[in-house]
Amino acid sequence: MNLHDALLSRRTIQRFEPGVVPDEVLERALRAATFAPNHKLTWPWRFTLPGPVTRSALAELYVQIKSGGRACSPEQLAILRAKVLDPDRLVVVSQRLSPDPHRSQEDYATCAIAIHNLALSLHADGYGSKWSSGALTTHPEACALLGLDPKQESVVGFVWVGRPGIVPHPAPRPGWEEVSRTLP
């Protein structure tokens, strides 16, 4: 797959097939992530790979967050848990924090680019990903489960990794001409 094909065909995957993502595929993607452009060479990204025990604890925390303390049916519990436990791999991308607001903004941008590199590498190897953020990614207990000190690191996103079950059609996008301007 050439670069342009990868850029134009990569999609966010919502549904994954069961199966294992080989270590070498994930390692190649993580290596690609570390090649993101990085102003001032601060290397702000950190990658946490939660194992089964941590993923189970994250799933139970997710159930608590989403249920709001209300009782859930067994089917609802299974759906909520599956959102954290499926697919096979989860990469938590966090950013080392800087006291300088400008540096923090640049570091966040490079972490986002690192996630994109990760996603493109996975796509080139036939795997899909979904970058997620939200209540679980910012919850203090999730940070504790992941061994992150919120004063030192901030979660940029959870990246779910697996074999695509359904590859969505591209969403309509504005043409580059609509979002560009040329100045004299």
Side-chain angles (χ1 to χ4, degrees), residues 31-97:
R31 184 170 194 279
T34 67
F35 276 77
N38 179 217
H39 192 207
K40 300 292 184 191
L41 305 178
T42 57
W43 320 119
W45 50 73
R46 295 294 180 267
F47 307 103
T48 302
L49 309 173
V53 172
T54 305
R55 296 256 322 252
S56 291
L58 287 169
E60 294 312 311
L61 177 59
Y62 185 71
V63 167
Q64 289 174 15
I65 293 168
K66 286 301 191 181
S67 70
R70 296 179 310 273
C72 293
S73 70
E75 295 80 18
Q76 291 170 320
L77 288 173
I79 290 168
L80 289 172
R81 287 182 180 121
K83 287 190 175 198
V84 177
L85 298 173
D86 296 329
D88 178 51
R89 299 291 185 114
L90 170 61
V91 178
V92 178
V93 181
S94 57
Q95 169 188 345
R96 277 190 14 227
L97 297 175

